[in-house]
Amino acid sequence: MPTTPTTVVLFGATGDLARRKLLPGLLHLFETGLLQEVRVVGTSLDDHTRDSFVDLARSSVEEHGTETDLEAWPEFAKRLHWAPGSGGAPALRAAVEEAEQEAGWDGPVSRLHYLSVPPKAALAVVRLLHDCQLVEHSRIVMEKPFGTDLASAQELNRQLHEVFDESQIFRIDHFLGKEAAQNILAFRFANGLFEPIWHRNHIDHVQIDVPESLGLEQRASFYEATGAYRDMVVTHLFQVLAFTAMEPPTALEPFAISEEKFKVFRSLKPIEPHDVVRGQYVGYRDEEGVADDSETETFVALRCFIDNWRWAGVPFYLRTGKKMPEGARIISIAFKEPPRSMFPEGSGVGDHGPDHLTFDLADQAKMSLSFYGKRPGPGMRLDKLSMQFAMHDTGWAGAVLEAYERLIYDAARGDRTLFTSAQGIERLWEVSTPLLENTPVVRPYGVGTWGPNQVHQLIAPYAWRLPFERGWRDPNSVGS
């Protein structure tokens, strides 16, 4: 569905995120017609002109876009404008007015201000927008982190609300922009097979596992002040948890879904230090910009509980870390095993743990359901089987929007379904307070391992789903 004419003001337009995701994403949205009437005003402290910014954008989309999108480049390039950051409020205001006058739009125009800037610069941009008188009829997209504790989150929101109404603020979480994350809602609430068993009577525990193979990637100063818990758990993993655990919304519309997500956060029990394992990969303190005695965690695993009727007593296990064997993003639902087995000893039942429903949140959506079945031949020997579904198995794969594309499109339309509220983020910092005030010791783990050994004690008597015993089906293999 095309949007109303939109001016996207891209702060930090020459940065890494803009070059890898935002500029190619805006081109793709233009090429598909979802953002047909768009003007992009780039700005940063780098020294550019309109022509040199167009050249930078061209190299970005050539490196990170698709050949199909590049066919639309000549028309898209005409819609790119530049506002020198050194020019302050007058230069930005002038560039926006020039872009909109050049477009010749007749009727209402919306403005989307995307803050692809370091956290410490966000409020300065907000004040700049106020000085430019670019607040009315606009929306603002903010990148994480949204504070570092309850007090800083409350202060951030207070200052934001002095300029923007909460309805104008879109706090972005690219995990929820992924097709697979949204597929959780469809899978849960549209299927009579799973909705009736999605609660404590049938689900034993849930795992949300997001290991990263990457390291700091020149972000040492940011990471030293943040760490894995603040960087990933509060802003990403808890949001995925809410989608997994929330009650059915009254309607598939933004307010109803946000309300159910907040109910999950409100029911989340405080995170206790004894339910958390913190780790730091060996060699982290040798990274440039890292203190020799740093206690910043590059790994965190935790057990948490949602204290409501549906989930009482069901543990949710969350794990994320840097420099791990592989990058992955999975949600795994472990179902309870039958209360009594009629199968003889040695049949294999129970040998491979409970049945699992697994969502892979990678860019290509995948799901897997594992279960026990009889091995062919005489006797009763059971083994684990699995059914798998992947987006590439359908004719829909070409329609998938990359996470940032989906979120930019939703923000341009004012759809808040996949964004977090001030109320929600403050509640998450509130439940994090016991942990932040009494952090457990940081334990070393080797590069290329799955974290400190204590993570196995945390989840016992269960086991982490990653690494998988069996891989996803290869779509290119024979008979797949």
Side-chain angles (χ1 to χ4, degrees):
M1 181 176 67
T3 61
T4 57
T6 303
T7 301
V8 178
V9 183
L10 182 53
F11 293 89
T14 57
D16 182 63
L17 178 62
R19 286 184 282 109
R20 285 188 301 108
K21 297 291 186 180
L22 305 182
L23 290 168
L26 286 165
L27 171 60
H28 182 64
L29 290 171
F30 173 74
E31 187 269 333
T32 58
L34 294 174
L35 276 184
Q36 186 69 50
E37 296 295 323
V38 65
R39 293 278 159 164
V40 179
V41 178
T43 184
S44 78
L45 295 177
D46 290 343
D47 188 17
H48 274 283
T49 64
R50 183 176 181 181
D51 288 341
S52 65
F53 175 57
V54 169
D55 291 341
L56 180 144
R58 170 78 193 214
S59 64
S60 298
V61 300
E62 284 178 341
E63 183 176 358
H64 302 290
T66 67
E67 290 185 13
T68 304
D69 293 339
L70 282 172
E71 294 175 6
W73 169 256
E75 284 302 313
F76 182 70
K78 299 174 186 176
R79 290 159 170 79
L80 297 178
H81 302 261
W82 180 253
S86 58
L92 181 60
R93 177 77 192 188
V96 171
E97 289 179 344
E98 177 188 315
E100 293 174 353
Q101 288 169 4
E102 192 175 300
W105 290 324
D106 183 20
V109 176
S110 66
R111 292 167 179 154
L112 183 67
H113 307 302
Y114 198 115
L115 274 59
S116 179
V117 298
K120 60 185 179 183
L123 288 175
V125 172
V126 170
R127 289 189 288 270
L128 175 66
L129 290 169
H130 176 268
D131 294 342
C132 295
Q133 297 182 323
L134 292 175
V135 173
E136 193 175 355
H137 305 303
S138 73
R139 303 181 181 103
I140 183 171
V141 179
M142 298 191 66
E143 287 280 343
K144 66 169 188 174
F146 315 116
T148 55
D149 55 21
L150 179 58
S152 62
Q154 289 173 330
E155 179 61 17
L156 174 63
N157 288 327
R158 184 190 69 77
Q159 294 194 47
L160 284 173
H161 292 155
E162 288 179 352
V163 179
F164 288 93
D165 184 78
E166 176 64 18
S167 64
Q168 295 176 279
I169 303 169
F170 289 73
R171 298 168 185 83
I172 200 165
D173 173 19
H174 68 271
F175 274 47
L176 294 188
K178 294 181 178 297
E179 199 75 33
Q182 296 165 68
N183 209 23
I184 296 169
L185 295 182
F187 200 87
R188 283 190 58 190
F189 300 129
N191 293 295
L193 177 62
F194 288 100
E195 195 283 328
I197 62 173
W198 206 269
H199 54 71
R200 59 187 169 85
N201 291 349
H202 298 283
I203 292 178
D204 187 83
H205 67 277
V206 177
Q207 295 180 34
I208 301 173
D209 207 350
V210 186
E212 297 181 286
S213 58
L214 298 174
L216 299 186
E217 308 303 304
Q218 287 83 48
R219 296 197 310 156
S221 60
F222 165 79
Y223 210 80
E224 271 288 89
T226 309
Y229 184 83
R230 290 178 171 92
D231 182 40
M232 291 291 292
V233 176
V234 176
T235 50
H236 291 322
L237 274 65
F238 279 153
Q239 304 298 326
V240 175
L241 179 149
F243 259 49
T244 308
M246 72 186 208
E247 297 293 324
T250 55
L252 194 64
E253 57 90 18
F255 178 79
I257 293 175
S258 296
E259 182 69 13
E260 294 306 332
K261 282 174 58 184
F262 181 66
K263 287 180 184 178
V264 173
F265 298 150
R266 197 167 56 199
S267 300
L268 193 61
K269 298 183 77 171
I271 309 302
E272 300 294 341
H274 60 77
D275 285 328
V276 178
V277 175
R278 297 168 71 232
Q280 186 184 93
Y281 66 78
V282 176
Y284 172 76
R285 295 178 182 180
D286 299 327
E287 302 268 10
E288 185 177 352
V290 174
D292 293 340
D293 58 351
S294 173
E295 292 295 311
T296 300
E297 81 278 0
T298 62
F299 170 96
V300 65
L302 62 123
R303 173 175 51 218
C304 59
F305 295 89
I306 299 170
D307 194 19
N308 63 14
W309 189 271
R310 182 182 292 265
W311 297 110
V314 177
F316 285 72
Y317 296 98
L318 281 55
R319 178 173 67 168
T320 185
K322 298 284 189 185
K323 297 270 190 169
M324 301 186 76
E326 62 181 273
R329 298 160 183 168
I330 72 155
I331 304 169
S332 193
I333 314 295
F335 293 100
K336 289 188 174 180
E337 298 188 58
R340 185 178 180 278
S341 175
M342 66 180 185
F343 296 97
E345 188 175 348
S347 65
V349 67
D351 286 357
H352 300 283
D355 299 337
H356 285 87
L357 174 64
T358 301
F359 297 87
D360 187 331
L361 302 188
D363 290 334
Q364 291 294 328
K366 292 184 286 191
M367 291 182 293
S368 171
L369 178 63
S370 68
F371 52 92
Y372 283 98
K374 182 184 178 300
R375 186 183 296 177
M380 182 59 72
R381 180 68 183 168
L382 305 181
D383 209 346
K384 256 298 167 60
L385 308 173
S386 72
M387 292 189 297
Q388 296 185 12
F389 161 83
M391 189 63 70
H392 54 63
D393 293 335
T394 74
W396 312 331
V400 174
L401 291 177
E402 197 274 335
Y404 278 99
E405 296 168 5
R406 169 63 60 87
L407 294 168
I408 291 171
Y409 176 59
D410 285 353
R413 295 185 300 127
D415 185 337
R416 302 180 58 84
T417 303
L418 303 177
F419 297 85
T420 253
S421 66
Q423 187 183 39
I425 205 69
E426 288 179 14
R427 172 58 183 167
L428 291 176
W429 286 120
E430 183 181 4
V431 301
S432 300
T433 298
L435 170 65
L436 299 179
E437 290 182 345
N438 187 22
T439 52
V441 63
V442 171
R443 303 178 184 276
Y445 65 97
V447 170
T449 67
W450 289 97
N453 289 332
Q454 287 75 12
V455 297
H456 304 297
Q457 300 165 18
L458 178 72
I459 202 171
Y462 316 113
W464 292 98
R465 285 283 281 155
L466 287 174
F468 289 131
E469 290 184 9
R470 58 183 68 81
W472 291 97
R473 184 180 70 241
D474 181 358
N476 299 314
S477 64
V478 178
S480 64

